Every structure is written in structure tokens, then in C-alpha cells.
Amino acid sequence: MGQVKSLFPEAVVASVESIINHAGIAVQQDLTAWQDDEEIPVTKYFDNLPFVENGVTISPDPNHWKCQKSGATENLWLNLSDGYIGGGRKNWDGSGGSNGALDHFMDTGEKYPLVVKLGTITTEGSTVHADCFSYAQDENGPVKIPNLVELLAK
């Protein structure tokens, strides 16, 4: 960028560099959403979440987990109502997941909003921690699920 700097006034170069290196508010919110556990709301769907008795069981072996849409084995989200394993969201540039988990939510009439990211479930004493998300239009973001252990047992 040395040659470009000599062609334009310093103020223009500084403005362009700030735009190029700027992380927009949406990116900043996405990054901080998962970092500050106190800011994540409790989902209102945890207590009356529909459960589908379909005989699906999830293997405890992560080597068996894969997106039911694309076959991908990374960035997987488990639907807590019916056991569907789908890939994470596609990014605006086409990178990221297969969108399998979100597409499944849409394909099932938006009835089963809560998902947990496989590979993030940990225990600390009697407390379970995991990255959880609600696709419900009125939440559409990271959530806490107080009865996660109970839902996972189903």
C-alpha cells in the first residue's frame, strides 16, 4: 500500500484503512454474544418444548455425529425436540456450515426452536454448560436452557 499512500492525501488513506480494518457492530455483537454468559437470556421455550418420540438416539461417540443434510462432521447442532443433527449456519460468503439445523427448523414448521452445539457440552460439578441457540423468531440467538440435562436425556 506504500505506492497508494503517495497517490492520495493522508486523510483519505487513513479513512480507507479504517474501513478495511473495521469490524462492524454485527461482527462485534456476534463475538461478544458467546463470551459474556451473564448477557445470554434464558429461553422461554425450555419448559414446554415439544418432544418427538421417534426412537432417535444420539451416539456418545463424536465420530458418529454428522449433519443429516450434508454429511459434514464439524459445527454440528442437535435439535432438542427430535434429535436431528444439522450443520451450523452458512455465512454470507457461502462459507461456514450447511445450514442444516436452521433448514430443519424451517422445514418442521418452526415448531422445534432449541438446539445445542455438539462438542460444547461440559459439566462442572452438577452444572452443565453448552452453546445453546433458539431459532424462534422472538429469540433468534444464544440462550440458556435451565433443563438442558433433562432435554438431553430424552
Side-chain angles (χ1 to χ4, degrees):
M1 198 154 160
Q3 292 178 348
V4 174
K5 285 184 181 183
S6 64
L7 297 175
F8 296 100
E10 190 174 319
V12 172
V13 172
S15 293
V16 170
E17 287 177 345
S18 71
I19 291 168
I20 291 170
N21 296 314
H22 174 70
I25 190 71
V27 171
Q28 292 173 14
Q29 288 174 338
D30 285 348
L31 291 173
T32 59
W34 293 99
Q35 295 171 353
D36 189 359
D37 202 34
E38 297 304 315
E39 301 280 330
I40 298 174
V42 172
T43 179
K44 62 182 167 186
Y45 296 98
F46 78 91
D47 203 26
N48 295 312
L49 186 69
F51 181 72
V52 179
E53 290 282 352
N54 57 10
V56 170
T57 57
I58 307 303
S59 171
D61 182 356
N63 293 319
H64 295 143
W65 301 339
K66 66 180 179 178
C67 174
Q68 291 175 243
K69 177 179 179 179
S70 70
T73 58
E74 293 182 10
N75 189 17
L76 299 175
W77 294 81
L78 171 67
N79 187 290
L80 293 171
S81 289
D82 64 5
Y84 184 91
I85 296 175
R89 291 184 186 213
K90 268 188 183 171
N91 295 324
W92 61 271
D93 65 355
S95 66
S98 66
N99 232 40
L102 177 59
D103 289 347
H104 177 71
F105 169 69
M106 302 301 284
D107 292 346
T108 56
E110 301 183 17
K111 293 187 279 187
Y112 313 126
L114 300 182
V115 294
V116 61
K117 187 171 186 177
L118 292 174
T120 68
I121 304 166
T122 60
T123 57
E124 189 175 299
S126 61
T127 306
V128 174
H129 299 281
D131 290 347
C132 301
F133 199 90
S134 173
Y135 290 125
Q137 288 184 12
D138 59 348
E139 290 182 326
N140 195 22
V143 293
K144 292 180 186 176
I145 304 174
N147 61 340
L148 182 59
V149 172
E150 173 189 325
L151 295 174
L152 287 169
K154 291 181 178 183

